[in-house]
Amino acid sequence: METGTIPIDDLAGGLDLYRTLESGQSYLWRREDGEMYGGAPAPDAWYSTFVERDVIRVRTRDGVLEWESTTDAEPVVRQLLRLDDDLEAIVAAGPDDQLLREAYEAHRGMRLVQDPPFGTLISFICSAQMRVSRIHTMVSTLAREYGDEFTFEDETYHAFPTPAQLATATEAELRELGLGYRAPYVVRTAEMVAGGEAHPEEARDLEYETAREYLTQFVGVGDKVADCVLLFSLGFDEAVPLDTWIKSAIEEHYPDCDRGSYADTSRAIRERLGGEYAGYAQTYIFHHLRTGD
């Protein structure tokens, strides 16, 4: 087992691990007390995930981020949790906006994640019309049923399935597991990636709106889901997913940004929220409104 620590005071803007991993950005981490998305933070709780075939566990305690892994995972932890982002500079570069100031103040240390693209794509296909806790349950179920099983420090872990593993699922099986109408979307998207028709990773080097359009070729992926994948996996910090909470924010706080179509409204709200880091602003506003903090 490899271990390490990263002092939180060394991270520009700090780190709130609970808010980062339980703010609706990621469904590929597991809180090891079983209470992920249960509504309450748990000091010292371990969170775990997989990258390739390596288990990675993290927690914050006594002013440091601790990690344990089957490999020397510090570079991967830094990437997954975007620890090298300068949060202070990102906040300072944002617009002078009351709602955003409130959100940044209430959720200091919340960072964007950078999860693996395929797992993120499937997670947000599952997200339609679902609470965050239910999405996490769906994704965990897919890992348990179709992913590889590993033992680490006497605990059993399940990796999120590869495209080839998930492509073996049938629509009937996934419906039985609770995916409902999303089942055929998940199967067909897994088949597309496994068969080499397309891969979400290929959007990374495209211009933003072209990348969003590229991702909509996957079955069950519209503009909003595509924006989630771009923001939480592929490094498009300008992406602003227009979900229910952000639409409510536009209606109440930024009505002039409602332009009648997803594309035009997206352009307007991205500009209002600061352009380059509009996705950071979106994530803070989403979490602030959803939690009522």
Side-chain angles (χ1 to χ4, degrees):
M1 179 177 70
E2 302 280 349
T3 64
T5 60
I6 300 170
I8 293 174
D9 284 346
D10 290 352
L11 306 176
L15 170 67
D16 186 317
L17 189 63
Y18 164 72
R19 287 188 169 95
T20 297
L21 294 180
E22 299 196 45
S23 56
Q25 304 182 60
S26 177
Y27 301 98
L28 298 176
W29 290 81
R30 161 191 162 194
R31 199 167 97 183
E32 296 192 3
D33 63 0
E35 296 298 323
M36 185 86 171
Y37 286 112
D44 301 344
W46 284 102
Y47 292 87
S48 61
T49 193
F50 267 84
V51 174
E52 302 297 337
R53 296 178 64 84
D54 290 309
V55 181
I56 296 173
R57 305 173 74 224
V58 297
R59 70 173 175 180
T60 51
R61 187 172 66 164
D62 299 331
V64 300
L65 174 69
E66 300 178 357
W67 62 264
E68 300 179 350
S69 181
T70 49
T71 188
D72 181 4
E74 180 166 331
V76 180
V77 170
R78 286 185 173 274
Q79 177 182 343
L80 293 173
L81 300 177
R82 298 190 53 170
L83 299 182
D84 295 326
D85 287 3
D86 187 337
L87 289 186
E88 293 175 351
I90 290 169
V91 171
D96 184 13
D97 176 88
Q98 181 178 348
L99 176 61
L100 187 54
R101 285 198 306 271
E102 291 175 0
Y104 277 141
E105 181 64 29
H107 309 293
R108 288 177 178 270
M110 184 171 71
R111 293 174 176 268
L112 289 181
V113 298
Q114 187 168 318
D115 279 338
F118 178 67
T120 304
L121 177 64
I122 297 299
S123 296
F124 282 97
I125 288 174
C126 290
S127 72
Q129 307 298 316
M130 278 291 169
R131 304 185 311 277
V132 291
S133 59
R134 185 73 184 97
I135 302 163
H136 186 261
T137 297
M138 284 184 181
V139 174
S140 299
T141 299
L142 292 176
R144 185 187 70 240
E145 295 295 324
Y146 298 100
D148 290 329
E149 182 177 293
F150 295 86
T151 301
F152 176 66
E153 294 296 294
D154 298 323
E155 292 286 336
T156 299
Y157 297 86
H158 294 90
F160 191 79
T162 65
Q165 288 172 326
L166 194 52
T168 65
T170 67
E171 178 182 339
E173 289 171 348
L174 295 187
R175 285 186 182 276
E176 191 170 323
L177 293 174
L179 270 69
Y181 69 86
R182 306 158 196 81
Y185 304 161
V186 169
V187 172
R188 180 63 187 125
T189 291
E191 290 173 345
M192 291 175 69
V193 180
E197 293 179 51
H199 196 289
E201 180 70 34
E202 293 174 356
R204 189 184 296 276
D205 297 325
L206 301 176
E207 183 271 338
Y208 163 61
E209 291 194 5
T210 304
R212 187 174 66 199
E213 182 178 0
Y214 174 87
L215 291 177
T216 61
Q217 71 183 292
F218 293 105
V219 181
V221 176
D223 289 329
K224 192 270 285 189
V225 169
D227 267 337
C228 290
V229 178
L230 293 174
L231 181 59
F232 303 133
S233 179
L234 297 175
F236 286 82
D237 292 351
E238 69 268 46
V240 176
L242 301 183
D243 57 31
T244 300
W245 291 105
I246 298 305
K247 288 179 180 177
S248 296
I250 290 172
E251 182 178 355
E252 183 173 351
H253 298 276
Y254 317 109
D256 58 309
C257 291
D258 185 352
R259 304 295 171 84
S261 72
Y262 191 101
D264 290 342
T265 301
S266 173
R267 293 186 192 108
I269 193 64
R270 290 201 313 272
E271 182 177 353
R272 178 62 62 86
L273 294 180
E276 181 181 3
Y277 295 113
Y280 249 109
Q282 180 272 347
T283 302
Y284 272 81
I285 289 171
F286 170 90
H287 188 61
H288 189 58
L289 295 178
R290 185 180 69 84
T291 58
D293 292 344

